[in-house]
Amino acid sequence: MLRDPLVGVTTSITVNQTPERAYVNSAYLHAVQQAGGVPVLLPPQLSKASLERLARGLDAVLLTGGGDVDPASFGEAPHATLYDVAPSRDALETQVTVIALERRTPLLAICRGIQVLNVALGGSLHQDVATDPGTEIQHSQTEARDQATHKVTVAAGSRLSRVLGGEDIEGNSFHHQVIKSLGRGLVPVAWAPDQLIEGVELDDDSRWVLGVQWHPEHLVGNSEPARRLFSALVTAARA
């Protein structure tokens, strides 16, 4: 009998608040469990040794959304709109990403997660999508999180299109950083109508690594592509 795979789920951390807390939106936990996985929280407060010990038992990794990635990590000064930068979270998630890639552990990176993945592989980010590079698309929607607000076009033949079951889907949007230069080995495979990158995967198809800029965890109740994404992660974890 196959056991339910353990999926490491990274968490946010409070910034300049007392007491310090680790937290995560419950939508990620529900989405993983609905797909048949068992979420294991990976907070920024974990020591390197603790994370390495936990990582040995993980079958997959989910990098979650949250505050901004520190632009110092890709050699830029901070933009005026930068918010909730947490060096301990950046460090933990970079370490998680490196471990997952080294161990060939399936990895799904969502919103901030796709940005962490990109920077960990040497890429850079636009720090404020509204002004750099500038766009008419609303990437920080005011609609509810379970509402899709713009189209996402997915490259035909990509792993992401096979996982989602199509090349034209609807996504929700809650971000103001976005990929600028691509990290080593990453291939862009999905775009918003303004041609900003909404999805990436590794050029090595033997490694299950996907990143999406939208928030499928909030769409699983009404979106088959969202459900397929989490199911594919858990299936890859079982393999």
Side-chain angles (χ1 to χ4, degrees):
M1 180 177 178
L2 292 176
R3 67 180 178 85
D4 294 335
L6 301 181
V7 180
V9 180
T10 62
T11 80
S12 297
I13 185 173
T14 50
V15 177
N16 298 323
Q17 295 182 35
T18 302
E20 181 184 273
R21 301 179 187 276
Y23 63 98
V24 66
N25 288 347
S26 61
Y28 295 106
L29 310 183
H30 294 315
V32 168
Q33 291 176 97
Q34 178 177 288
V38 178
V40 177
L41 299 187
L42 304 175
Q45 293 90 343
L46 287 176
S47 68
K48 182 178 180 180
S50 294
L51 176 60
E52 289 176 346
R53 172 63 185 89
L54 274 174
R56 289 199 293 272
L58 296 178
D59 303 302
V61 167
L62 172 60
L63 300 179
T64 62
D68 285 341
V69 178
D70 189 346
S73 61
F74 48 92
E76 293 187 9
H79 190 275
T81 59
L82 200 69
Y83 76 98
D84 280 356
V85 172
S88 61
R89 183 178 185 188
D90 289 348
L92 182 283
E93 290 186 329
T94 299
Q95 186 183 357
V96 169
T97 300
V98 170
I99 290 172
L101 293 174
E102 288 177 346
R103 293 178 176 270
R104 306 180 75 87
T105 303
L107 184 151
L108 174 60
I110 292 176
C111 196
R112 169 190 158 91
I114 192 178
Q115 299 160 13
V116 169
L117 172 64
N118 188 61
V119 172
L121 290 172
S124 65
L125 306 174
H126 292 292
Q127 293 188 55
D128 179 56
V129 64
T131 60
D132 172 29
T135 177
E136 295 182 359
I137 298 293
Q138 178 58 262
H139 286 280
S140 296
Q141 70 184 54
T142 56
E143 292 86 349
R145 286 182 169 266
D146 62 355
Q147 299 300 307
T149 56
H150 70 70
K151 293 186 180 298
V152 176
T153 301
V154 186
S158 63
R159 181 194 292 276
L160 186 59
S161 69
R162 297 195 301 271
V163 164
L164 296 174
E167 298 162 17
D168 294 295
I169 68 161
E170 299 282 337
N172 50 0
S173 199
F174 300 93
H175 66 100
H176 78 109
Q177 289 186 323
V178 71
I179 289 176
K180 181 164 61 176
S181 65
L182 283 159
R184 296 180 301 276
L186 290 180
V187 178
V189 291
W191 299 266
D194 54 12
Q195 298 306 301
L196 292 179
I197 294 172
E198 288 276 337
V200 297
E201 59 191 49
L202 279 182
D203 57 9
D204 178 1
D205 200 46
S206 71
R207 296 170 181 261
W208 202 102
V209 176
L210 291 177
V212 298
Q213 187 58 75
W214 68 95
H215 280 270
E217 74 280 6
H218 289 291
L219 300 176
V220 293
N222 53 24
S223 168
E224 179 63 19
R227 290 189 290 271
R228 288 174 61 103
L229 187 55
F230 285 96
S231 292
L233 175 66
V234 172
T235 297
R238 286 197 172 105

